[in-house]
Structures are given as C-alpha cells and as structure tokens.
Amino acid sequence: MIPRLYPILLSAALLTACSRNPVTGKREVILMSKEQEIALGQQSHPSVVASMGLYEDQKLNAFINEKGKAMARISHRPDLPYQFYIVDSPVVNAFAVPGGYVYFTRGIMAHFNNEAEFAGVLGHEIGHITARHSARQQTSQLFGTVGVLAGSVLLDKTGQLTDLAAQGLQLALLGYSRAHESESDKIGVEYSSKIGYDAHQMANFFATIKRISDQSGQAVPNILSTHPDPGNRYTKVHEMAKAYQAANPATYQVDREDYLRMIDGIIYGEDPKQGFVENNMFYHPELRFQFPVPSGWQHQNSPAQFQMGPKDGKLSMILMGAKGNSLDEASQTLVKELGLKVLESNRTTINGNPAYVLISQQQPQQQQGQQQQQQSAANTLQIGTWLIQYGNSIYALHGLSTAANFQASFDTFQRVAGGFRSLTDSEKLNRQPERVKIQSAPRSGTFQENMVALGMPASRIEELGTLNSLKAGDQVNRGTLLKTLRR
C-alpha cells in the first residue's frame, strides 16, 4: 500500500527534484522539501514523547541545548529550527528526526565519559539531518518501489495514525546505509572539532559501543546497529580526527570531570516507577497493579505500553490505556478505532475489578486472489482483549495471534489477564532506581581494586568497566573520578 504522503512528495518533486546537497555540494534528486522535513519533525515529536517520555534534568537539558545550538550555528544548515531532548529510556541510543529534532536517551548520557564523546555523537546525529540522509533514503526507497514506509504505531491526540509522524520517526529509526553512516562520522568529527572538542574521543566511544554490543541482554544502539563494525569505525574516526587536527591546529577540549559531575545522580537502567519485571511478574508501582509474565517471554516497557511475547513471535500481549469513561465506552471506541469485527463479548470480574472481554478479528488490509483467500486464517489477526476498570482508569490487555493459532494461545492470554491485581507489596511500591554516583578513586591501583574498595560487587566489574570506559586491570590514580552505582 502506497502511503498517503506519496502524492504530496511526488508533486513536490516537480519543484525540488534536483537540489544541491548542503554538505557534499552535489546535485541530487530529493523528493522532500525543507518545509516537509520540518513538518515531519514537528509531527513526530509528540509521538516520540508519548512512546519514551522526556527525562527531566535541568542541568543536562541546558547542556545539550547549549552545545546543540552552538553546533547548529556552524553546521551546513543553520536555518533549521533545531530542538534537542533527552528521552527517558535506559537503552544506549541517539537518533534524529528530519527537520532538526535530535534525541539522546538517558542511557547514552550515562555512558558518555566526557563532553567530547557527547559532542562527537551530537555531530553525527546533526550530520544525518544536514546531509539530508532521511530525505535521500526515502527518495531511494520510493524509486525502488519499496512501497510502505510508515510502519510504526504512532498515534496523534485523537488516537489516529498520522502519516507524517509515522514516517518521520520511522525514517529516523531505520538503519542508514553504510555510506550515510560513514558520512555522518566524518561530519561528526568536523562539527565537534569546530565547537572545540577532541574528536578522538568520538572514536573512543565506539569502543564502549563494541563492549555494550558484546554483553548479552543489551541492545545495540540504533546509530550503530546494522552498518559499519564499531571496531572499524573506531580506527577510521581516529584517522579522521588526526587528519582534521593536523589541518586545523588548535587546543581541543575533552572536559571529563565537568561532564561526570553533571551526570552525578542520573538514573541508570530501568526506572522501577515506570514498571519492572521480576520473578515472572510485571509490577507498576506508580499505577499500583501487577500481572504475570509467562516464563521465557521477552518484554519491552515504555510510558505508552508494555509489550511481551515468546521469542518465536507467534503471539504477543500488549497492555495500554483505554479511552473512555466506562467499559462500554472503551469497548465501542476500541472497536471503531481498530476496525475490529467482534466475535464474542461478555462482562466479567477480575480479582474484584469490573472487566469486559472481547474476542475480535482484524482482517488483512488487502486480499487479492484465491490463494490469499485460502490463507486468510493464517493472515487474519485475532485479538483477545480484556478491558479492566481499575481505580479511575481503564486498561486494555490485548492478546494477539493469527486466527489459526488463537485457540492454542487463548489459555495463556486468559491466565495473564486473570492475574491482573492490585499491587500492595511495600517493597515493590517503594523500589528505587539505580543511579550513577560519581566518586573519587580511594587509591592508586587497578580499576577493579578501586571498584571493590568503593563497595561495588565483583560480579558487576565488567558492566561498571563499560560504564567507565575502563578495563578491570587498567591503572587508576588516586582521586580520579569514577562512576559507581547506588540506589
């Protein structure tokens, strides 16, 4: 299905099809105007905030805006309305949306060990915007008849999918080509150097990325996920930094201690108040409920929803808020907005909470030919929805599978929904997040010796080493600032 934005882009192509790239100076076919890029960013931003949340830290937000604005001024496109945000996610990541919107997770902010590392990644992300990588990528996909670009479930305030929002964030989160990543690395060296930072530190951060990707259970950052190997980029960025500094002699800053003091107290890892999984149970202290997570299921939590499912991907469950002031209203709204065909419905009670159960189907958008007709059971999405009235809110717990597998999955869905109950355990309700604590090395010795002396468990030395960009045997001088973890 061709997205509805396609005719707009095609029309714009008549005016802007051939334009000069602001970074390379080359003339290229770009099917997206500057105004459309800005619109993508503006309409994507509320969806980013809804799905991840913003991390409120006045010092850090002031810092990224100060450095971001300084870098925007020396960039190839200083006229864009740049915006810089820290999103409340533990994943080590940064990404940019067309039109000037740049995001850093609190996870990546915790892993930087100096301002220069931050500046390098900032330059890399602004480079994606100034080199118009998303616009070039979309143009390439349109010419290649890829078709559907919008694929994310981003909602506007009315709960409807927005083409611009979906495309903006989708383009930001899609992996860039190897050439685009390499180009942004080069731009990152240039931009971070121009505002006074040592770009060798950008290369050093690739070593941190490599360690994160090697550790089980940690996601590879999107900025580096599917393209050049972090080890190769480490070498190449060092070479680019050396060449730039040789051609532009100056004193380039690292600013380690100032940065570490600034992130003292930043939340590390999952924030329990937003919900956490422990011993096959999901707990949400702020909303005061819990429900079971089947053994072996993977899960992902965000401010907007909690998703979980087995590794084979044959079924999944999603918890999210439902719209409506009553179960009837929530049910009607859900059916209308998702275009559901209701097969069964009935009222029930779940651990004292009024509830409404819907069994429904969502047909494939297109069915052409006899073969697709015959495969409809395999392609049709069947949903078991438990609408649960709890406190002043209504929650929708969806169990999803194909119609062919639904009956076999239903017992699992029902057990999870039936386990939804009030959270009263004070230890869970008062669980505090881990935070980065900056402390001085108590002695001259190895990193591991200092971590043990500071009360860190031996089992977390590698994790703490990654966080500090140090190895267990690295020598540390007495008084050196180090990151530890405290609740």
Side-chain angles (χ1 to χ4, degrees):
M1 179 178 135
I2 303 298
R4 282 176 281 173
L5 187 60
Y6 181 78
I8 301 174
L9 292 173
L10 194 58
S11 298
L14 298 175
L15 299 175
T16 62
C18 196
S19 60
R20 192 174 299 279
N21 185 283
V23 173
T24 65
K26 297 178 181 178
R27 297 196 70 81
E28 300 171 323
V29 176
I30 302 289
L31 301 185
M32 187 187 296
S33 69
K34 171 186 168 183
E35 291 72 24
Q36 287 170 331
E37 287 185 76
I38 293 172
L40 283 172
Q42 291 173 340
Q43 295 203 28
S44 297
H45 178 67
S47 299
V48 174
V49 175
S51 62
M52 298 183 184
L54 295 178
Y55 186 68
E56 301 297 338
D57 184 307
Q58 189 173 353
K59 288 185 301 181
L60 277 180
N61 280 288
F63 168 75
I64 69 164
N65 273 281
E66 176 191 349
K67 301 304 177 183
K69 299 294 185 184
M71 191 172 285
R73 285 193 293 270
I74 58 89
S75 76
H76 295 86
R77 302 180 71 187
D79 55 326
L80 290 175
Y82 290 93
Q83 304 284 329
F84 303 92
Y85 298 93
I86 301 174
V87 291
D88 194 2
S89 168
V91 177
V92 180
N93 200 3
F95 59 97
V97 172
Y101 285 73
V102 180
Y103 302 89
F104 289 82
T105 63
R106 60 173 169 81
I108 200 170
M109 298 301 292
H111 278 79
F112 290 133
N113 277 283
N114 54 60
E115 290 186 15
E117 287 183 347
F118 162 80
V121 175
L122 175 66
H124 176 103
E125 293 304 328
I126 291 181
H128 280 309
I129 294 170
T130 58
R132 307 193 72 189
H133 287 159
S134 290
R136 288 155 67 183
Q137 177 176 301
Q138 187 181 59
T139 300
S140 174
Q141 289 179 324
L142 286 171
F143 279 147
T145 64
V146 170
V148 181
L149 294 177
S152 51
V153 285
L154 305 176
L155 305 179
D156 64 15
K157 292 180 180 179
T158 67
Q160 300 299 313
L161 286 171
T162 60
D163 287 337
L164 285 174
Q167 290 206 39
L169 188 55
Q170 181 78 352
L171 286 170
L173 299 181
L174 283 172
Y176 291 106
S177 71
R178 185 178 296 270
H180 288 173
E181 288 293 338
S182 297
E183 188 173 41
S184 273
D185 286 347
K186 184 176 180 180
I187 297 170
V189 168
E190 178 186 348
Y191 287 178
S192 61
S193 299
K194 281 186 174 180
I195 66 169
Y197 287 104
D198 182 359
H200 284 290
Q201 297 301 314
M202 175 186 174
N204 290 341
F205 191 66
F206 283 98
T208 298
I209 296 304
K210 184 68 166 63
R211 290 176 72 176
I212 292 172
S213 67
D214 288 343
Q215 292 174 14
S216 62
Q218 296 202 35
V220 180
N222 186 67
I223 55 172
L224 309 164
S225 59
T226 59
H227 298 295
D229 176 77
N232 293 337
R233 298 174 84 175
Y234 171 88
T235 301
K236 289 181 179 179
V237 172
H238 268 306
E239 291 172 353
M240 289 188 284
K242 181 179 180 180
Y244 187 94
Q245 292 179 9
N248 302 274
T251 300
Y252 294 98
Q253 302 299 315
V254 173
D255 292 340
R256 182 177 186 271
E257 292 196 1
D258 286 347
Y259 184 81
L260 292 180
R261 289 193 173 97
M262 186 167 50
I263 63 166
D264 189 19
I266 193 171
I267 293 176
Y268 174 83
E270 298 288 349
D271 186 351
K273 75 176 184 180
Q274 297 177 355
F276 62 96
V277 174
E278 186 174 85
N279 298 324
N280 295 329
M281 188 71 70
F282 176 73
Y283 301 100
H284 203 303
E286 198 166 68
L287 301 178
R288 305 178 76 89
F289 63 71
Q290 66 183 67
F291 58 82
V293 174
S295 179
W297 277 26
Q298 298 175 316
H299 50 83
Q300 184 176 28
N301 191 27
S302 75
Q305 62 186 32
F306 176 80
Q307 303 176 60
M308 59 181 176
K311 293 180 181 180
D312 63 17
K314 292 182 178 179
L315 61 145
S316 65
M317 295 194 74
I318 303 174
L319 176 82
M320 59 201 314
K323 299 178 190 175
N325 297 315
S326 67
L327 289 173
D328 284 334
E329 185 180 343
S331 173
Q332 292 166 9
T333 301
L334 185 72
V335 169
K336 181 179 179 181
E337 288 189 351
L338 297 183
L340 301 177
K341 176 185 177 183
V342 177
L343 306 179
E344 299 178 34
S345 63
N346 63 279
R347 291 184 177 275
T348 187
T349 301
I350 297 177
N351 295 311
N353 302 299
Y356 199 80
V357 186
L358 291 173
I359 308 299
S360 58
Q361 288 186 351
Q362 192 173 50
Q363 298 293 332
Q365 290 186 344
Q366 292 182 343
Q367 285 193 348
Q368 297 177 354
Q370 185 62 32
Q371 185 177 1
Q372 285 188 317
Q373 295 279 345
Q374 294 172 348
Q375 293 178 346
S376 62
N379 296 333
T380 299
L381 177 66
Q382 189 150 330
I383 308 167
T385 299
W386 284 260
L387 292 167
I388 306 169
Q389 189 166 350
Y390 181 72
N392 296 321
S393 301
I394 298 176
Y395 298 97
L397 185 56
H398 303 287
L400 303 91
S401 77
T402 62
N405 293 327
F406 186 79
Q407 198 60 44
S409 307
F410 184 76
D411 285 348
T412 300
F413 297 156
Q414 194 166 40
R415 281 197 301 272
V416 172
F420 184 100
R421 64 183 68 241
S422 174
L423 173 59
T424 58
D425 185 338
S426 60
E427 192 278 329
K428 303 293 191 301
L429 289 168
N430 298 315
R431 181 75 60 89
Q432 296 299 307
E434 278 195 316
R435 294 179 182 270
V436 172
K437 177 69 175 176
I438 303 302
Q439 295 182 269
S440 298
R443 65 183 70 169
S444 292
T446 67
F447 172 72
Q448 181 167 357
E449 290 169 345
N450 275 278
M451 285 292 103
V452 172
L454 289 168
M456 294 295 97
S459 62
R460 301 188 73 178
I461 295 301
E462 175 59 24
E463 179 186 4
L464 286 159
T466 301
L467 190 62
N468 282 276
S469 192
L470 290 167
K471 295 183 179 178
D474 286 349
Q475 292 295 307
V476 175
N477 294 326
R478 183 175 183 270
T480 300
L481 295 185
L482 297 171
K483 299 173 188 172
T484 60
L485 298 172
R486 293 286 189 270
R487 289 197 186 275

